[in-house]
Amino acid sequence: WAVSDTSSVLRKEYSVSDIPVYVHEGAKIKLKSEKKDFMSQGIQWVFSNGFKVVYKKMNTGGKLYYNLAVNGGYGSVDNLEKGEGGYFSDYFFLSRIGGIPADEFLDILSLEGMELDAYVGLTNTMISGSLPQEKTDLLMNSLLAVVNSWKKDDEAVERYASGESIRNHMRKGTDQERIARINEITCPDYRFTSHKSLDTLSSDLSEKVETMLTNQASSMNDGVLVLLGDMDEVIRKSDIIDGFH
């Protein structure tokens, strides 16, 4: 068979060079304090903008493991409907990041040996994964792209929403669904369940996700980035500071 209009089926080929390089605007960010982190037994760095980094030197076989935790989750959404909270993690990737469709953004990172996942919980949002230890610049650019240039993708949202009734049917009878039903009986007015249970997703759910993530970006200085790797902490600290500029 033949395709008459290939523009509708061909994906644009993106590369790591398409990920925006973050340039900090305003006053230069400096290292404010450095101290031992007693919980991890690593080093905690606090920067002049309030952002915190905890680095623990460990033998990780050449990989750097990371977890960015930011205060704020779907529990902060005032007009959240019952059953919507569980969809926020999925909607995180129904988006464009730095102008790149989220699935292709993840493909780019994968080709560079980097893994990235996101979880939106009740009270916080976490972005975590791993990458080769020598690619800290890719880590910083990727995280800052996710935080600063996340935009919902209406077409991806529409495709996802159209299949929810089928996915919801497949969840029937699972242990998670039974627990959710019990919780609904005992706490019928509780809106913040993490269980997905809707046949039809509200038309404004993507706007709720977008509003929450936009608010988080503005309060990014409250975030904590945890790093585990086997590189010298002086080198790691320098990489992080460079990443802010």
Side-chain angles (χ1 to χ4, degrees):
W1 54 277
V3 178
S4 58
D5 182 10
T6 58
S7 62
S8 62
V9 296
L10 291 180
R11 292 155 61 101
K12 178 178 177 181
E13 292 187 2
Y14 292 94
S15 69
V16 68
S17 63
D18 293 306
I19 297 177
V21 176
Y22 180 75
V23 178
H24 178 72
E25 297 180 355
K28 184 177 180 180
I29 295 175
K30 299 179 180 179
L31 182 65
K32 183 179 179 180
S33 67
E34 177 178 332
K35 64 180 181 180
K36 185 173 183 178
D37 183 73
F38 291 99
M39 181 174 294
S40 67
Q41 295 300 300
I43 301 296
Q44 182 187 98
W45 302 314
V46 179
F47 294 89
S48 55
N49 62 348
F51 188 74
K52 299 179 180 65
V53 176
V54 175
Y55 175 60
K56 183 172 177 60
K57 183 176 173 62
M58 296 180 64
N59 183 7
T60 54
K63 278 195 170 185
L64 180 67
Y65 293 88
Y66 67 92
N67 184 78
L68 173 63
V70 182
N71 289 329
Y74 59 79
S76 63
V77 178
D78 293 333
N79 56 345
L80 190 75
E81 299 293 335
K82 185 184 298 183
E84 289 184 332
Y87 294 93
F88 275 55
S89 295
D90 287 0
Y91 270 55
F92 190 100
F93 291 113
L94 301 177
S95 60
R96 300 180 75 90
I97 300 172
I100 305 171
D103 59 339
E104 297 189 46
F105 182 83
L106 295 179
D107 287 344
I108 293 171
L109 300 185
S110 180
L111 289 174
E112 297 293 320
M114 179 174 173
E115 298 175 354
L116 185 148
D117 196 11
Y119 172 74
V120 181
L122 178 64
T123 60
N124 58 29
T125 299
M126 292 185 288
I127 304 171
S128 60
S130 65
L131 73 162
Q133 63 183 17
E134 68 273 11
K135 295 189 176 182
T136 312
D137 57 339
L138 175 62
L139 172 63
M140 294 302 295
N141 285 337
S142 299
L143 291 180
L144 292 169
V146 168
V147 172
N148 291 307
S149 61
W150 184 98
K151 299 292 182 184
K152 67 184 178 72
D153 186 328
D154 290 330
E155 291 185 5
V157 168
E158 184 177 350
R159 289 195 300 270
Y160 179 92
S162 66
E164 183 51 28
S165 61
I166 296 175
R167 290 189 294 269
N168 192 35
H169 178 74
M170 295 175 65
R171 286 190 286 266
K172 303 294 184 182
T174 63
D175 291 342
Q176 293 84 352
E177 197 261 351
R178 293 190 184 98
I179 293 173
R181 293 305 178 194
I182 293 173
N183 290 338
E184 187 173 350
I185 293 172
T186 57
C187 302
D189 296 326
Y190 186 68
R191 296 182 293 124
F192 302 107
T193 175
S194 61
H195 180 68
K196 302 172 184 175
S197 60
L198 303 177
D199 285 322
T200 303
L201 300 178
S202 59
S203 59
D204 65 342
L205 178 54
S206 61
E207 279 74 22
K208 295 175 184 177
V209 177
E210 184 176 37
T211 298
M212 188 213 78
L213 292 176
T214 300
N215 290 338
Q216 281 189 322
S218 65
S219 60
M220 182 64 183
N221 294 351
D222 294 329
V224 178
L225 175 62
V226 178
L227 301 172
L228 300 177
D230 55 6
M231 286 188 68
D232 185 273
E233 67 187 54
V234 174
I235 297 174
R236 181 63 59 223
K237 177 172 62 177
S238 176
D239 288 343
I240 299 299
I241 293 174
D242 290 343
F244 279 120
H245 300 293

